Amino acid sequence: MRAQRPAARILIADDHRLMADACKNLLEPEFSVVGIVTDGRDLAAAVAEFKPDIILLDIYMPRLNGLDAGEQVKKKKPGIKLVFLTMTLEADVAAEAFRRGASGYVLKQSAGNELVSAIRKVNRGESYLSPLVAKETVTFLLTKSEPSTAEKRITKRQGEILQLLAEGLSMKQVASVIDVKPGTVAFHKYRMMEILNIHTNAELLGYALKHQMMVP
């Protein structure tokens, strides 16, 4: 007899523990859920510990959003597949997820019906996009040249700092989280304000909200 192929190892990253547990229950009859983490910054360490084949991750997580966290993982471990599980139907967010290396994009509101089939497809090397997201728009956005948005003018480090500031951390706390001096955080903050032509903290937080860097 042919040996049975081992079940795909799945790591879940979602700060909503009830949602993470629900996904675990959906997947475990067929797949092996090896761990759950609740923020983006812990994801890299969890990947080293649990060695997953697939990561199921939320986009909006504290300390580091799922897009950036997933992209960091893909750069170090290109063979790992990313499936984003989110409330966001916007095609531009879905397109950005695929730009960052996603293999799948599933909506939380339809996870009960879609999640297992999405994971199956991704595990076979295919891609999956929820039918509720406008596929034609996502395809169009992916075929465009590099987006000319203001967000692309700030660095990844600056975006990371902005998310942490938007979550209510002080510059000193942000410096502690990303292991830099507070003066470095201040430099990046005021450099972002200059680049984005923003003059107040409220405007900066408004920018973070508009560009979906804040955890709801």
Side-chain angles (χ1 to χ4, degrees):
M1 285 181 65
R2 183 188 298 176
Q4 187 173 5
R5 185 180 177 185
R9 297 169 60 83
I10 299 176
L11 175 64
I12 299 174
D14 196 315
D15 61 313
H16 297 98
R17 186 65 197 220
L18 288 176
M19 187 70 196
D21 287 339
C23 292
K24 183 175 185 288
N25 291 335
L26 278 170
L27 295 170
E28 278 205 320
E30 186 171 339
F31 304 100
S32 174
V33 177
V34 293
I36 295 173
V37 295
T38 56
D39 74 66
R41 193 166 291 280
D42 288 340
L43 187 57
V47 167
E49 178 181 356
F50 296 116
K51 298 178 173 55
D53 303 303
I54 299 170
I55 301 174
L56 178 67
L57 69 169
D58 194 4
I59 289 180
Y60 307 122
M61 292 188 290
R63 301 179 69 220
L64 186 64
N65 66 75
L67 292 172
D68 288 341
E71 184 177 32
Q72 289 178 12
V73 168
K74 287 290 287 187
K75 284 180 178 178
K76 293 181 180 179
K77 304 282 186 181
I80 292 178
K81 297 179 174 68
L82 305 178
V83 177
F84 286 95
L85 181 66
T86 177
M87 297 290 293
T88 305
L89 290 96
E90 284 82 358
D92 58 339
V93 178
E96 186 63 19
F98 283 103
R99 284 192 196 100
R100 304 288 188 99
S103 295
Y105 192 92
V106 181
L107 296 177
K108 286 187 175 183
Q109 51 268 48
S110 52
N113 297 321
E114 296 181 26
L115 185 57
V116 172
S117 59
I119 296 293
R120 284 174 183 158
K121 289 192 72 171
V122 167
N123 193 41
R124 292 196 301 264
E126 303 173 40
S127 61
Y128 182 89
L129 174 65
S130 172
L132 296 177
V133 180
K135 183 177 181 180
E136 294 80 4
T137 305
V138 173
T139 302
F140 170 74
L141 291 169
L142 286 171
T143 56
K144 285 178 63 179
S145 58
E146 186 71 11
S148 57
T149 62
E151 190 173 357
K152 292 296 179 182
R153 302 205 306 265
I154 65 175
T155 66
K156 289 192 183 299
R157 173 63 95 185
Q158 288 167 346
E160 184 180 10
I161 288 171
L162 178 53
Q163 177 180 341
L164 292 169
L165 291 171
E167 290 175 12
L169 275 66
S170 67
M171 284 194 283
K172 185 175 180 180
Q173 289 170 323
V174 172
S176 177
V177 169
I178 64 174
D179 196 23
V180 299
K181 294 179 179 179
T184 301
V185 175
F187 168 79
H188 282 301
K189 174 185 174 182
Y190 295 116
R191 179 63 180 145
M192 279 188 284
M193 293 175 77
E194 179 183 352
I195 291 170
L196 301 171
N197 194 28
I198 285 173
H199 306 289
T200 67
N201 288 335
E203 289 177 335
L204 190 63
L205 295 184
Y207 173 87
L209 180 61
K210 180 180 178 182
H211 289 267
Q212 299 168 327
M213 295 179 177
M214 297 174 72
V215 179

